[in-house]
């Protein structure tokens, strides 16, 4: 055990020891989720620290144990909550021995070095499995441990391009667009968490750990879901459709008198309810709008009709009417509006630890709780 007592004995992963040899986003995202779930996560950083400590602005300033004010990037704090930090230079024998001693009784190791790099230091899975046969070792790379691109570095933007995400995102006549968040990194972090927990569950049966090989490209391709099946079934690339839905109509962004609204009547029953809300019951008998397939064939016409009707409503007026009728609808929020939203507030998504703001991992349990007890560590904070 890393600690005499778990950080929160009622957290799902209380008592689990995780060593993180990771930096930037995908790997640290795994570590932060483990930390929120109660694991003791030891982040091993180079003497220069995780590079994201310098990825500002914006910056966060706080007082260090020496009384001096330290400035670090907000980006770093977004993915390193709840961890401990030690500094190690793998080229120094004493530092390497110290890291291996940490790993000797660890449950999980998370790393995101380029394929083959850690083998130079005896920190690869094959070497560490001899030291700790129960170790679940999760590697997060751009392209995985095998294949012609295995030794190449992978970056979120590149993976979004290669995975098909960008070809599917943006306006039909516009430029392919990346998403506004690092979706490939974050998704790989989530899939890595799932894979690592699956290996831990299997360890309960076999008594042995294993290597979990996670690739950003694999995870992003795995998210293609219905878009992949569109191609696999038809042999044709699915179109880029902006805010429209390839298989559902009418479904999109529509004008209101004071802005825009998202409407998502995803079946015939919801569409009929929407027509009633909009005061267009006269269209209920129209065959060209009676089914989803018919509406897709007449998409431009029905979208124009709905847009004309919604423009006569104020946003809150239409949202209230849709909610009462059971029609899925919502505002388009900027980030400040997200955290002012009463539902987001009710769910307690915004948190503060040690004077640092953050967003909690979105798990709510009936018999457990998260371990939200410490902010992101300063570099080398736990060296002693």
């Amino acid at each position: 055990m890393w600690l005499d007592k778990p950080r929160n004995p009622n957290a799902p992963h209380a008592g689990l020891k995780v060593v993180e040899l990771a930096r930037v986003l995908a790997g640290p995202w795994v570590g932060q989720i483990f930390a929120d779930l109660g694991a003791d996560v030891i982040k091993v950083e180079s003497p220069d620290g995780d590079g994201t400590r310098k990825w500002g602005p914006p910056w966060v300033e706080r007082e260090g144990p020496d009384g001096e004010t330290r400035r670090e990037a907000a980006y770093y704090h977004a993915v390193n909550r709840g961890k401990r930090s030690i500094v190690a230079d793998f080229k120094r024998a004493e530092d390497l021995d110290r890291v291996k001693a940490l790993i000797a009784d660890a449950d999980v190791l998370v790393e995101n070095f380029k394929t083959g790099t850690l083998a130079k230091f005896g920190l690869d899975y094959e070497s560490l499995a001899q030291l700790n046969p129960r170790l679940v070792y999760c590697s997060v790379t751009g392209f995985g441990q095998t294949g012609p691109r295995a030794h190449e570095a992978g970056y979120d933007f590149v993976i979004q391009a290669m995975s098909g995400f960008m070809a599917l995102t943006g306006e039909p006549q516009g430029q392919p667009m990346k998403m506004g968040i690092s979706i490939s990194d974050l998704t790989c972090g989530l899939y890595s968490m799932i894979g690592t927990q699956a290996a831990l569950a299997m360890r309960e049966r076999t008594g042995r750990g294993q290597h979990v090989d996670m690739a950003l490209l694999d995870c992003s391709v795995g998210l293609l879901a219905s878009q992949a099946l569109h191609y696999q079934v038809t042999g044709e690339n699915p179109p880029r459709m902006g805010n429209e839905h390839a298989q559902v109509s009418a479904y999109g962004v529509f004008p209101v008198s004071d802005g825009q609204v998202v409407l998502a009547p995803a079946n015939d029953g919801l569409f009929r309810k929407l027509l009633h809300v909009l005061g267009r019951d006269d269209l209920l008998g129209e065959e060209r709008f009676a089914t989803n397939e018919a509406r897709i064939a007449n998409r431009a016409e029905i979208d124009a009709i709905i847009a004309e009707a919604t423009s006569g409503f104020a946003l809150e007026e239409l949202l209230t009417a849709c909610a009462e009728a059971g029609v899925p609808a919502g505002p388009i929020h900027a980030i400040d509006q997200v955290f002012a939203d009463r539902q987001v507030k009710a769910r307690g998504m915004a948190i503060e630890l040690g004077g640092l703001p953050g967003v909690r991992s979105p798990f709510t349990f009936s018999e457990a709780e998260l371990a939200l007890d410490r902010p992101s560590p300063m570099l080398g904070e736990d060296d002693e």
Side-chain angles (χ1 to χ4, degrees):
M1 293 285 290
W2 173 245
L3 295 176
D4 292 335
K5 295 180 180 179
R7 294 168 51 222
N8 183 334
N10 201 41
H13 283 317
L16 200 73
K17 179 178 175 181
V18 178
V19 176
E20 180 189 300
L21 310 182
R23 58 266 194 249
V24 189
L25 183 51
W29 194 239
V30 182
Q32 179 166 280
I33 299 171
F34 265 120
D36 274 6
L37 291 172
D40 297 311
V41 182
I42 305 99
K43 184 179 181 72
V44 180
E45 301 186 66
S46 75
D48 292 330
D50 188 321
T52 60
R53 289 181 182 271
K54 301 175 183 177
W55 280 19
W59 303 99
V60 172
E61 293 187 350
R62 57 178 171 165
E63 184 177 307
D66 54 5
E68 294 186 7
T69 299
R70 300 189 186 183
R71 187 179 78 157
E72 296 165 315
Y75 191 113
Y76 166 79
H77 295 290
V79 294
N80 286 290
R81 176 179 60 245
K83 304 174 186 178
R84 306 172 191 281
S85 169
I86 68 167
V87 171
D89 183 346
F90 295 163
K91 296 178 182 178
R92 290 168 48 91
E94 56 268 39
D95 284 11
L96 192 56
D97 288 344
R98 186 180 181 208
V99 171
K100 289 180 179 178
L102 279 176
I103 296 169
D105 66 345
D107 297 287
V108 174
L109 184 145
V110 180
E111 63 90 6
N112 64 351
F113 283 76
K114 285 177 62 177
T115 299
T117 299
L118 290 180
K120 303 173 186 176
F121 306 102
L123 295 174
D124 56 305
Y125 173 69
E126 288 73 17
S127 299
L128 294 179
Q130 297 178 42
L131 174 69
N132 180 357
R134 289 177 55 81
L135 181 68
V136 174
Y137 185 113
C138 179
S139 294
V140 180
T141 59
F143 300 101
Q145 302 295 306
T146 60
R149 304 192 70 163
H151 292 278
E152 296 182 25
Y155 290 86
D156 178 271
F157 194 7
V158 174
I159 300 300
Q160 287 200 43
M162 292 182 63
S163 66
F165 283 0
M166 289 182 64
L168 294 167
T169 306
E171 293 299 325
Q173 305 305 318
Q175 187 181 55
M177 297 292 292
K178 73 177 183 68
M179 298 187 195
I181 60 173
S182 298
I183 188 67
S184 293
D185 271 328
L186 294 171
T187 295
C188 190
L190 293 174
Y191 269 130
S192 297
M193 186 71 188
I194 295 168
T196 301
Q197 291 185 123
L200 286 169
M202 187 172 177
R203 189 181 71 175
E204 293 300 304
R205 302 197 310 273
T206 66
R208 292 190 59 82
Q210 60 184 294
H211 191 192
V212 182
D213 172 11
M214 302 300 302
L216 269 69
L217 183 61
D218 294 357
C219 294
S220 294
V221 172
L223 278 187
L224 291 177
S226 62
Q227 303 285 20
L229 265 291
H230 179 116
Y231 162 71
Q232 291 170 327
V233 168
T234 67
E236 300 174 353
N237 286 318
R240 187 165 63 251
M241 300 193 66
N243 288 318
E244 293 183 344
H245 194 298
Q247 283 79 38
V248 182
S249 179
Y251 188 108
V253 177
F254 296 92
V256 289
S257 63
D258 54 349
Q260 294 176 307
V261 67
V262 165
L263 298 176
N267 58 49
D268 295 340
L270 290 174
F271 177 74
R272 288 192 289 270
K273 289 181 179 180
L274 175 62
L275 289 181
H276 181 69
V277 166
L278 298 178
R280 293 306 308 264
D281 288 348
D282 57 301
L283 298 177
L284 290 173
E286 290 280 355
E287 289 189 9
R288 67 188 191 280
F289 306 138
T291 66
N292 184 64
E293 187 173 2
R295 291 192 295 278
I296 289 175
N298 296 282
R299 186 191 298 271
E301 185 178 2
I302 190 58
D303 281 357
I305 290 172
I306 291 177
E308 181 181 11
T310 59
S311 62
F313 288 79
L315 176 61
E316 288 302 323
E317 176 191 11
L318 182 55
L319 291 176
T320 298
C322 285
E324 292 174 350
V327 177
I332 301 173
H333 278 160
I335 302 301
D336 63 332
Q337 294 171 306
V338 172
F339 290 104
D341 184 274
R342 65 181 187 272
Q343 182 65 24
V344 175
K345 285 185 171 181
R347 298 292 288 179
M349 290 303 299
I351 59 174
E352 183 175 310
L353 298 172
L356 293 177
V359 182
R360 71 170 178 87
S361 291
F363 307 107
T364 302
F365 302 98
S366 65
E367 302 296 330
E369 56 197 47
L370 298 179
L372 302 174
D373 58 347
R374 57 180 292 156
S376 308
M378 295 184 181
L379 179 61
E381 181 178 328
D382 300 280
D383 276 338
E384 297 303 320

